[in-house]
Amino acid sequence: MKRLIALLVLTCAAASAAARPANDRTLPVVLRAATLEPGEYVWESRSASTGPLFVVINLVSQRAMVYRDGVLIAASTISTGSKDRETPTGVFPILEKQVVHRSSTYDNAPMPYMQRLTRKGVALHAGNLPGYAASHGCIRLPAGFAKLLFGATKFRTPVMIIHSAQVAA
């Protein structure tokens, strides 16, 4: 009977931990990232405040993961390229940064906190996040996350874009 009660308590505790929202700061970033809804993000720069920055964009999970010195410090929902306008995969350095930018290709569309990754115009920037891939190839981010990322990156910061069901380790 004691074992049954102990098992019940452990089961309830595990379920409670799994149901915690993304803003529960007692959970590590990787667990909080899994529960993000469209437009949400987590940013815990205290976990690693120095060292090189590396950004991973996962096209399958529609997530951006930010690592500093190999430690996951931030994660966000994103919206990448839609069918026939796919976001390219590979490793891209940040080539250009502009706080205020407008698209010269798509009707002067605003692209706040733009960070260009390719010469053909693929960029990270703040934008609409419907919960699925819906852009013309760019990586749309929540505005708050785009601002934080813009402030954390430098020219040539590497951004790896992957098409994988697994989150980059």
Coordinates of all heavy atoms in Angstrom, one line a residue, residues 33-66:
A33 N 11.3 25.2 -23.5 CA 11.2 25.4 -25.0 C 10.1 24.4 -25.6 O 9.5 24.8 -26.6 CB 12.5 25.2 -25.6
A34 N 10.0 23.3 -25.0 CA 9.1 22.3 -25.6 C 7.6 22.6 -25.4 O 6.8 22.1 -26.1 CB 9.4 20.9 -24.9
T35 N 7.3 23.6 -24.5 CA 5.9 23.9 -24.2 C 5.5 25.3 -24.8 O 4.4 25.7 -24.5 CB 5.7 23.9 -22.7 OG1 6.5 24.9 -22.1 CG2 6.0 22.5 -22.1
L36 N 6.4 25.9 -25.5 CA 6.1 27.2 -26.1 C 5.0 27.2 -27.1 O 4.9 26.3 -27.9 CB 7.4 27.8 -26.8 CG 8.6 28.1 -25.9 CD1 9.8 28.5 -26.7 CD2 8.2 29.2 -24.9
E37 N 4.1 28.2 -27.0 CA 3.0 28.4 -27.9 C 3.5 29.4 -29.0 O 4.4 30.2 -28.7 CB 1.8 28.9 -27.2 CG 1.2 27.9 -26.2 CD 0.6 26.7 -26.8 OE1 0.0 26.8 -27.9 OE2 0.7 25.6 -26.2
P38 N 2.8 29.5 -30.1 CA 3.3 30.5 -31.1 C 3.4 31.9 -30.5 O 2.5 32.4 -29.8 CB 2.1 30.4 -32.2 CG 1.6 29.0 -32.1 CD 1.7 28.7 -30.6
G39 N 4.5 32.5 -30.8 CA 4.8 33.9 -30.3 C 5.5 33.9 -29.0 O 5.9 35.0 -28.5
E40 N 5.7 32.8 -28.3 CA 6.4 32.7 -27.0 C 7.9 32.4 -27.2 O 8.3 31.8 -28.2 CB 5.7 31.7 -26.1 CG 4.3 32.0 -25.7 CD 3.8 31.0 -24.7 OE1 4.2 29.8 -24.8 OE2 2.9 31.4 -24.0
Y41 N 8.6 32.8 -26.2 CA 10.0 32.5 -26.1 C 10.5 32.5 -24.7 O 9.8 33.0 -23.8 CB 10.8 33.5 -27.0 CG 10.8 34.9 -26.4 CD1 11.8 35.4 -25.5 CD2 9.8 35.8 -26.8 CE1 11.8 36.7 -25.0 CE2 9.8 37.1 -26.3 CZ 10.8 37.5 -25.5 OH 10.8 38.8 -25.0
V42 N 11.7 31.9 -24.5 CA 12.4 32.0 -23.2 C 13.8 32.5 -23.4 O 14.4 32.2 -24.5 CB 12.4 30.6 -22.5 CG1 11.0 30.2 -22.1 CG2 13.1 29.6 -23.3
W43 N 14.3 33.3 -22.5 CA 15.7 33.8 -22.6 C 16.3 33.9 -21.2 O 15.8 34.6 -20.4 CB 15.6 35.2 -23.2 CG 17.0 35.7 -23.6 CD1 18.0 36.2 -22.8 CD2 17.5 35.8 -25.0 NE1 19.1 36.5 -23.5 CE2 18.8 36.3 -24.9 CE3 17.0 35.4 -26.2 CZ2 19.6 36.5 -26.0 CZ3 17.8 35.6 -27.3 CH2 19.1 36.1 -27.2
E44 N 17.3 33.1 -21.0 CA 18.0 33.0 -19.7 C 19.5 33.2 -19.9 O 20.2 32.3 -19.8 CB 17.7 31.6 -19.1 CG 16.3 31.4 -18.6 CD 15.9 32.3 -17.4 OE1 16.8 32.7 -16.6 OE2 14.7 32.5 -17.3
S45 N 19.9 34.4 -20.2 CA 21.3 34.7 -20.5 C 22.2 34.5 -19.3 O 23.4 34.4 -19.4 CB 21.4 36.1 -21.1 OG 20.9 37.0 -20.2
R46 N 21.6 34.5 -18.1 CA 22.4 34.3 -16.9 C 23.1 32.9 -16.9 O 24.2 32.8 -16.2 CB 21.5 34.4 -15.6 CG 20.9 35.7 -15.4 CD 19.9 35.6 -14.2 NE 19.0 34.5 -14.5 CZ 17.9 34.3 -13.9 NH1 17.5 35.1 -13.0 NH2 17.1 33.3 -14.2
S47 N 22.5 31.9 -17.5 CA 23.1 30.6 -17.5 C 24.5 30.5 -18.2 O 25.3 29.7 -17.9 CB 22.2 29.6 -18.1 OG 21.7 30.0 -19.3
A48 N 24.8 31.5 -19.1 CA 26.1 31.5 -19.7 C 26.2 33.0 -20.3 O 25.7 33.3 -21.3 CB 26.2 30.5 -20.8
S49 N 27.0 33.8 -19.6 CA 27.0 35.2 -20.0 C 28.2 35.5 -20.9 O 28.3 36.6 -21.4 CB 27.0 36.1 -18.8 OG 28.1 35.8 -17.9
T50 N 29.1 34.6 -21.0 CA 30.3 34.9 -21.9 C 30.5 33.7 -22.8 O 30.0 32.6 -22.6 CB 31.6 35.1 -21.0 OG1 31.8 33.9 -20.3 CG2 31.4 36.3 -20.1
G51 N 31.3 33.9 -23.8 CA 31.6 32.8 -24.7 C 30.9 33.1 -26.1 O 30.1 33.9 -26.2
P52 N 31.3 32.3 -27.1 CA 30.7 32.4 -28.4 C 29.2 32.1 -28.5 O 28.7 31.2 -27.7 CB 31.5 31.5 -29.3 CG 32.1 30.5 -28.3 CD 32.2 31.2 -27.0
L53 N 28.5 32.8 -29.3 CA 27.1 32.6 -29.5 C 26.9 31.7 -30.8 O 27.6 31.9 -31.8 CB 26.4 33.9 -29.7 CG 24.9 33.9 -29.5 CD1 24.6 33.8 -28.0 CD2 24.3 35.3 -29.9
F54 N 25.9 30.8 -30.8 CA 25.6 30.0 -31.9 C 24.0 29.8 -31.9 O 23.4 29.6 -30.9 CB 26.2 28.6 -31.7 CG 26.1 27.7 -32.9 CD1 26.9 27.9 -34.0 CD2 25.3 26.6 -32.9 CE1 26.8 27.1 -35.1 CE2 25.2 25.8 -34.0 CZ 26.0 26.0 -35.1
V55 N 23.4 30.0 -33.1 CA 22.0 30.0 -33.2 C 21.6 28.8 -34.1 O 22.2 28.6 -35.1 CB 21.4 31.3 -33.9 CG1 19.9 31.2 -34.0 CG2 21.8 32.5 -33.1
V56 N 20.6 28.0 -33.6 CA 20.1 26.8 -34.4 C 18.7 27.1 -34.7 O 17.9 27.3 -33.8 CB 20.3 25.5 -33.6 CG1 19.7 24.4 -34.4 CG2 21.8 25.3 -33.3
I57 N 18.3 27.0 -36.0 CA 17.0 27.1 -36.5 C 16.5 25.7 -36.9 O 17.2 25.1 -37.8 CB 16.9 28.1 -37.7 CG1 17.4 29.5 -37.3 CG2 15.5 28.2 -38.2 CD1 16.7 30.2 -36.2
N58 N 15.4 25.2 -36.3 CA 14.9 23.9 -36.7 C 13.7 24.1 -37.5 O 12.6 24.5 -36.9 CB 14.7 23.1 -35.4 CG 14.4 21.6 -35.7 OD1 13.6 21.3 -36.6 ND2 15.0 20.7 -35.0
L59 N 13.7 23.7 -38.7 CA 12.6 23.9 -39.6 C 11.4 22.9 -39.3 O 10.2 23.3 -39.5 CB 13.0 23.7 -41.1 CG 14.1 24.6 -41.6 CD1 14.5 24.3 -43.0 CD2 13.7 26.1 -41.5
V60 N 11.7 21.8 -38.8 CA 10.6 20.8 -38.4 C 9.9 21.2 -37.2 O 8.7 21.3 -37.2 CB 11.2 19.4 -38.3 CG1 10.2 18.4 -37.8 CG2 11.8 18.9 -39.6
S61 N 10.6 21.6 -36.1 CA 10.0 21.9 -34.9 C 9.6 23.4 -34.8 O 8.9 23.8 -33.9 CB 10.9 21.6 -33.7 OG 12.1 22.4 -33.7
Q62 N 10.0 24.2 -35.8 CA 9.7 25.6 -35.9 C 10.2 26.3 -34.6 O 9.4 27.0 -33.9 CB 8.2 25.9 -36.2 CG 7.8 25.5 -37.5 CD 8.4 26.4 -38.6 OE1 8.0 27.6 -38.8 NE2 9.3 25.9 -39.4
R63 N 11.4 26.0 -34.2 CA 12.1 26.6 -33.0 C 13.4 27.2 -33.4 O 14.1 26.7 -34.2 CB 12.3 25.5 -32.0 CG 11.1 24.9 -31.3 CD 10.4 25.9 -30.3 NE 9.4 25.2 -29.5 CZ 8.1 25.2 -29.9 NH1 7.7 25.6 -31.1 NH2 7.2 24.6 -29.1
A64 N 13.7 28.2 -32.7 CA 15.1 28.8 -32.7 C 15.7 28.5 -31.3 O 15.0 28.7 -30.3 CB 15.1 30.3 -32.9
M65 N 16.9 28.0 -31.3 CA 17.6 27.7 -30.1 C 18.9 28.5 -30.1 O 19.6 28.5 -31.1 CB 17.9 26.2 -30.0 CG 16.8 25.3 -30.2 SD 15.5 25.4 -29.0 CE 16.0 24.1 -27.9
V66 N 19.2 29.2 -29.0 CA 20.4 30.0 -28.9 C 21.3 29.5 -27.8 O 20.9 29.2 -26.7 CB 20.1 31.5 -28.6 CG1 21.3 32.4 -28.5 CG2 19.1 32.1 -29.6

